[in-house]
Every structure is written in structure tokens, then in C-alpha cells.
Amino acid sequence: MQLMLRDGSFGPFLTQVISKAQADDKLSHHDLQQIKSKAVLMSLKFADKFYNKYKMHLLEQAAHDIIGVVSLGLLELSDNDPERALTLLLAPEGVVKPFQKGWNMLSTVSKKTGKNSLYGDVEEQLLQSIATPPDAEEWSGWAQYQQALKDHRRTQSMQLLQQQFYARSHFDEFEHFSLEEVLAEVVFYRALTGGDKVRQDLKKRIRNIELQPHWFNDTFFQLQTEATLAELPAANADAIRSDLGQHFIPALLRTLKFAKDYKTMAHTDASPEKLDAFEGKQGLSNPLLGWPQYLEL
């Protein structure tokens, strides 16, 4: 396995560390051979477990997988510090500890679709995006992982919102298509009901909810949103904040204005069909955020 590269400033992090250490005369030939021998052994084991170690192209693929995963774990453990990374590589565990860290990182953020992955808990497509030849001019593995981490936290945050703020325990996966939709329903329902858990009854309750004048401004919904996020773990709250678009708060305010008109119409004994038509027209012209989409049967 060739671990060196002419210019390692943009390639896999493992190669970057080795190239810099050699340039600074901090890596002896013996130490390099030790690192390489451990990496080769890991590649053989990896190929034997997931591929076929007797086929050269699959053995090469295993080597690329190892370099990618080790680079990922090494970057995380060293906090992108080549000096700390070199210390890790020269430790008795060598590339083993960074590999274990990288593999655990990939396993954590891999999508659990119910389909078996060739790599067990690690999503196949994700590993392929991390894997890299040692002489690659650029390595996007860290960026790929960060995107997967963002997606993982988004999904996790949706589940947390549902578990913590909804009265029911069963959820239809097609009921909400985005994290923003889930948060909007939680914020809007809690704002109007004084913090109650979300139930499928807002269209009925709105008739008896006294809409306060001070609710009709962006600040009110900003405070309501932050109050909701404050009840979640910091990492998930941050993931939600980064996912929200600039129109989130204005859309909630627009929905509240719609709710006021909906309430007025409901008090005129408008038929369910007329209310549905009013809701549908408003939703098409200005999409309602936070307004319930369930059907009243």
C-alpha cells in the first residue's frame, strides 16, 4: 500500500500527515514501515470480511476504504492537527484506533433504511464517498461525513420533536416531509394553546382560542421557537436552527393571520366544505406553515 503523495495538502488526511512528517524529518523509515504494515494487514482483514482478498481489484478497494476511514477518524481524534495525528499514528495501536473511531462515526450517521448493507451498520454509499486512493489530489471524505452528520441530526431532531411534543406515540412517516414542518406545527400549536402537547384537534380548538394582539408579530414566534428549542439537547437545537429558512417566522405569522380568518368563518357556521375550500385556497396561494394538514373525519 502506497501511503505517500507528492503534494499531500489536499489529499486524504492520513497521507497529509505522513507527507508533512517526512518533509519535517519527523518520521523515520522504520516508523513508516510500521504504519504501512498495520494498514496493509487491516486492508487484508477488511477485504477478507467484506470482499475477496484473493482478487487484486477488491484488495485495492479495501485499501482505499481503510485509508478513507482512518483519515476520517484521525482527523476527528487530532482535531485536524497533523502533529497530534502523527503522535496517534506512532502509538502502539497505529492506524487501528483512528480506524475504529472513523468506523464508529460512519456507523452513527448511516441511514437505517431496513435494507442490509454490505458493511453491516455502515451505509454502503457513505463508505464509498469516504474511500480514497492514497495519491488522490483531493479528498472530500470529511465534507461527505459532515453532510451525513447534518442529515442524521435532522432526522434525529424530527424524532425528538415528535417524541417530546406530540401527544400520540405513532407517527406516519409521510405526514411530515421536513424538519421545518414538524417544528412549525409544534411551535404554532404550543403558542396557541399555552404549551399543550400537539394533538389533531387544532381546527376545532381554534374556535375557542382567544387570539391575543401581541401574538401578531415576528418577535412572539421567535420567542416561541427558542422556547421550544431550549427543551432539546444543544446539538439537536443547533441542527434545527441551521435548517430553518429565513421565511420560517414570517410564515408562522402569516398562518396566524389565516387562523384568525378561519376562526371568524367557523363562527359563522360555515360548512366543513367551505372551510376546506378556504383553507385550500389560502394554502395554495401562500403555503401555511404550522397549520395542521390532517383530515377531520
Side-chain angles (χ1 to χ4, degrees):
M1 176 190 291
Q2 176 59 259
L3 291 179
M4 291 178 294
L5 153 96
R6 207 173 304 160
D7 177 6
S9 57
F10 297 103
F13 188 63
L14 174 60
T15 309
Q16 291 183 43
V17 173
I18 292 175
S19 297
K20 186 177 188 306
Q22 286 185 308
D24 296 342
D25 200 22
K26 294 181 178 179
L27 185 66
S28 69
H29 178 73
H30 174 73
D31 289 336
L32 178 59
Q33 290 304 116
Q34 288 292 312
I35 295 171
K36 288 175 64 175
S37 63
K38 285 187 173 68
V40 170
L41 182 59
M42 289 184 68
S43 297
L44 285 168
K45 290 183 176 180
F46 196 88
D48 190 41
K49 183 172 183 179
F50 297 117
Y51 302 129
N52 184 333
K53 65 180 179 180
Y54 300 107
K55 293 187 177 182
M56 185 57 65
H57 72 287
L58 294 177
L59 183 57
E60 184 178 43
Q61 179 60 52
H64 295 175
D65 295 338
I66 295 297
I67 293 169
V69 177
V70 169
S71 293
L72 184 68
L74 192 62
L75 205 158
E76 175 73 10
L77 289 171
S78 68
D79 195 24
N80 199 16
D81 184 340
E83 297 292 334
R84 290 171 60 184
L86 181 61
T87 301
L88 288 166
L89 290 177
L90 295 177
E93 302 92 339
V95 295
V96 175
K97 185 175 181 180
F99 175 84
Q100 291 173 337
K101 177 63 176 180
W103 192 259
N104 183 62
M105 291 165 67
L106 294 177
S107 176
T108 299
V109 302
S110 289
K111 296 176 182 177
K112 306 301 186 285
T113 61
K115 297 180 180 179
N116 292 330
S117 168
L118 174 64
Y119 308 101
D121 291 334
V122 174
E123 185 183 0
E124 184 172 352
Q125 185 176 355
L126 179 58
L127 180 60
Q128 290 173 352
S129 71
I130 298 298
T132 175
D135 57 350
E137 293 184 1
E138 294 185 1
W139 178 63
S140 62
W142 182 254
Q144 295 288 342
Y145 166 74
Q146 290 297 321
Q147 182 58 52
L149 178 61
K150 183 178 179 180
D151 293 342
H152 168 71
R153 285 180 174 164
R154 183 184 295 119
T155 300
Q156 186 183 58
S157 298
M158 285 181 65
Q159 294 171 345
L160 281 173
L161 285 170
Q162 292 172 335
Q163 292 168 3
Q164 188 157 337
F165 298 113
Y166 284 70
R168 63 192 190 280
S169 58
H170 175 73
F171 300 96
D172 184 348
E173 62 179 309
F174 297 109
E175 185 175 353
H176 297 101
F177 293 99
S178 72
L179 174 57
E180 193 174 70
E181 288 179 350
V182 178
L183 178 66
E185 183 171 28
V186 170
V187 170
F188 196 76
Y189 191 96
R190 282 161 51 91
L192 268 60
T193 63
D196 289 356
K197 289 202 170 186
V198 179
R199 299 177 185 274
Q200 294 189 335
D201 62 357
L202 187 59
K203 292 181 183 180
K204 292 180 179 178
R205 291 187 67 173
I206 194 68
R207 299 167 186 258
N208 301 313
I209 294 175
E210 191 65 35
L211 303 178
Q212 303 299 319
H214 70 275
W215 292 359
F216 290 83
N217 63 81
D218 287 355
T219 302
F220 173 73
F221 281 112
Q222 288 170 348
L223 293 173
Q224 291 293 323
T225 301
E226 285 303 315
T228 297
L229 295 179
E231 297 187 37
L232 299 176
N236 296 103
D238 290 341
I240 293 174
R241 287 189 188 94
S242 66
D243 195 67
L244 297 182
Q246 61 178 336
H247 302 297
F248 180 76
I249 298 299
L252 286 176
L253 180 57
R254 184 168 59 245
T255 301
L256 181 62
K257 293 175 181 177
F258 159 80
K260 180 180 179 181
D261 293 338
Y262 185 94
K263 176 184 176 181
T264 300
M265 183 176 290
H267 277 298
T268 64
D269 293 325
S271 67
E273 292 78 14
K274 189 172 182 179
L275 288 171
D276 287 345
F278 175 63
E279 177 185 332
K281 182 180 179 181
Q282 185 68 31
L284 288 173
S285 59
N286 285 300
L288 301 171
L289 194 60
W291 186 253
Q293 299 301 310
Y294 51 78
L295 297 175
E296 292 187 274
L297 302 176

